[in-house]
Amino acid sequence: MNEQEWLACVNHVAGGEYPIPRGMISNYNDWRCRSTVGRALYWMDEVEAAMRVLATVLDVEPDMEDAPEMGLSEAEHKVLCLRDVAEIVWKLAHNEDAALNYLGQAYELSRAYKHPFRSASRGEMFYRRLAILRDVGKEEQAMQEAAVMLDMEAGNDGINPYRYFAYKFLAEHEHNNGDDAKASQLFAEAFKYYPVSAAGERDLAKAAAAADPAERYKAYAFCSTIQYKPWEELPPAIIRRDL
């Protein structure tokens, strides 16, 4: 990518509906700037431009001990880039192998990172893999992989994105097969591992109380669209007193 192309991408991102300050994105030599610009272009539906930028960070090895108190770690930058590249190759070329490869890299990297992962759910990369398998007619394989994940994570109670997304996928499978009663049971199980606030507890109680299975499933599915609390709690604010 030459300087003119890069500046055009930066200008587009800095002048969009939700502009990003130039100071955060203008340094081409900082791969995290390229990561931010590429992902922003993807959000803006500038898919081909996003791919050109994100392709420049695919070979970067992130510092796995980088854990800033604010902003994304290097590992998170790389995981989100891999996730978006997977979506781009799926959207542009419907390339199953490439999409699953990039998602696999994102999954492995997010699993390996030992510090708080605050930008997204680590389980999303696993869930997206299952969804792509379903889309290409390999739903039985996806079902088996979801079951393996539940076995792998057995005993890891509390907030657990891997268990949540495995149960969510199984619930969707039963819903698509017309069994909303079973689908609702699976969704109820999924939410045992989902970070919910007091408002979330109320929403889930309302969903559980719905008499009609179809309405119950619909209510649980709605709850799944709301991020009631962060998957991994943010650290407390650090107040500098030496200024």
Side-chain angles (χ1 to χ4, degrees), residues 108-120:
E108 294 293 340
L109 186 56
S110 66
R111 274 282 199 182
Y113 186 60
K114 303 303 182 184
H115 303 285
F117 195 93
R118 303 189 298 265
S119 55

Side-chain angles (χ1 to χ4, degrees), residues 157-173:
D157 296 327
I159 304 306
N160 188 317
Y162 301 109
R163 295 189 80 174
Y164 168 77
F165 278 108
Y167 276 119
K168 181 178 187 289
F169 182 83
L170 296 175
E172 291 169 347
H173 171 80

Side-chain angles (χ1 to χ4, degrees), residues 127-199:
Y127 172 78
R128 189 66 186 113
R129 171 183 171 80
L130 301 183
I132 288 177
L133 289 173
R134 177 173 58 199
D135 288 348
V136 298
K138 298 179 180 178
E139 189 155 1
E140 284 304 315
Q141 178 182 339
M143 295 281 290
Q144 292 170 9
E145 293 190 13
V148 168
M149 178 62 76
L150 291 176
D151 286 342
M152 259 176 48
E153 291 294 316
N156 288 342
D157 296 327
I159 304 306
N160 188 317
Y162 301 109
R163 295 189 80 174
Y164 168 77
F165 278 108
Y167 276 119
K168 181 178 187 289
F169 182 83
L170 296 175
E172 291 169 347
H173 171 80
E174 296 300 337
H175 167 71
N176 293 337
N177 285 344
D179 192 342
D180 281 335
K182 187 172 182 180
S184 296
Q185 291 175 354
L186 289 164
F187 242 144
E189 186 67 23
F191 276 107
K192 294 178 181 178
Y193 311 103
Y194 195 77
V196 294
S197 60

Side-chain angles (χ1 to χ4, degrees), residues 10 13 45 60 70 79 84 86 89-90 94 97-98 115 131 151 161 173-174 181 186 201-202 214 230 232:
V10 170
V13 169
D45 208 29
V60 170
M70 296 183 64
V79 166
D84 287 354
V89 298
W90 183 246
H94 217 62
D97 290 339
H115 303 285
D151 286 342
H173 171 80
E174 296 300 337
L186 289 164
E201 296 289 356
R202 291 194 294 271
E232 299 180 36

Side-chain angles (χ1 to χ4, degrees), residues 2-241:
N2 61 41
E3 183 177 0
Q4 185 176 2
E5 289 176 313
W6 170 245
L7 289 176
C9 291
V10 170
N11 290 337
H12 193 62
V13 169
E17 185 177 357
Y18 302 102
I20 300 176
R22 290 178 183 274
M24 295 175 58
I25 57 176
S26 59
N27 184 3
Y28 180 84
N29 293 323
D30 185 340
W31 72 271
R32 293 168 299 181
C33 289
R34 303 200 302 276
S35 162
T36 302
V37 169
R39 288 182 293 107
L41 288 168
Y42 179 61
W43 302 332
M44 298 168 75
D45 208 29
E46 299 288 344
V47 179
E48 293 183 359
M51 187 65 188
R52 288 201 300 276
V53 176
L54 292 175
T56 69
V57 304
L58 290 178
D59 293 332
V60 170
E61 292 292 336
D63 177 0
M64 298 297 281
E65 294 306 317
D66 179 52
E69 291 167 351
M70 296 183 64
L72 300 183
S73 66
E74 290 194 9
E76 289 175 277
H77 269 290
K78 185 63 182 288
V79 166
L80 296 179
C81 286
L82 288 165
R83 180 197 66 184
D84 287 354
V85 168
E87 294 299 331
I88 290 169
V89 298
W90 183 246
K91 180 179 290 187
L92 290 182
H94 217 62
N95 188 327
E96 172 194 352
D97 290 339
L100 294 181
N101 175 51
Y102 289 123
L103 284 172
Q105 292 181 51
Y107 170 83
E108 294 293 340
L109 186 56
S110 66
R111 274 282 199 182
Y113 186 60
K114 303 303 182 184
H115 303 285
F117 195 93
R118 303 189 298 265
S119 55
S121 163
R122 301 182 199 239
E124 285 181 11
M125 274 60 72
F126 165 68
Y127 172 78
R128 189 66 186 113
R129 171 183 171 80
L130 301 183
I132 288 177
L133 289 173
R134 177 173 58 199
D135 288 348
V136 298
K138 298 179 180 178
E139 189 155 1
E140 284 304 315
Q141 178 182 339
M143 295 281 290
Q144 292 170 9
E145 293 190 13
V148 168
M149 178 62 76
L150 291 176
D151 286 342
M152 259 176 48
E153 291 294 316
N156 288 342
D157 296 327
I159 304 306
N160 188 317
Y162 301 109
R163 295 189 80 174
Y164 168 77
F165 278 108
Y167 276 119
K168 181 178 187 289
F169 182 83
L170 296 175
E172 291 169 347
H173 171 80
E174 296 300 337
H175 167 71
N176 293 337
N177 285 344
D179 192 342
D180 281 335
K182 187 172 182 180
S184 296
Q185 291 175 354
L186 289 164
F187 242 144
E189 186 67 23
F191 276 107
K192 294 178 181 178
Y193 311 103
Y194 195 77
V196 294
S197 60
E201 296 289 356
R202 291 194 294 271
D203 288 347
L204 290 171
K206 187 182 298 184
D212 179 65
E215 289 301 315
R216 191 158 63 248
Y217 176 84
K218 183 178 178 181
Y220 278 127
F222 173 76
C223 291
S224 75
T225 67
I226 302 174
Q227 191 62 57
Y228 294 103
K229 292 174 64 177
W231 277 101
E232 299 180 36
E233 292 288 348
L234 295 172
I238 305 299
I239 307 298
R240 290 190 62 190
R241 305 197 183 275

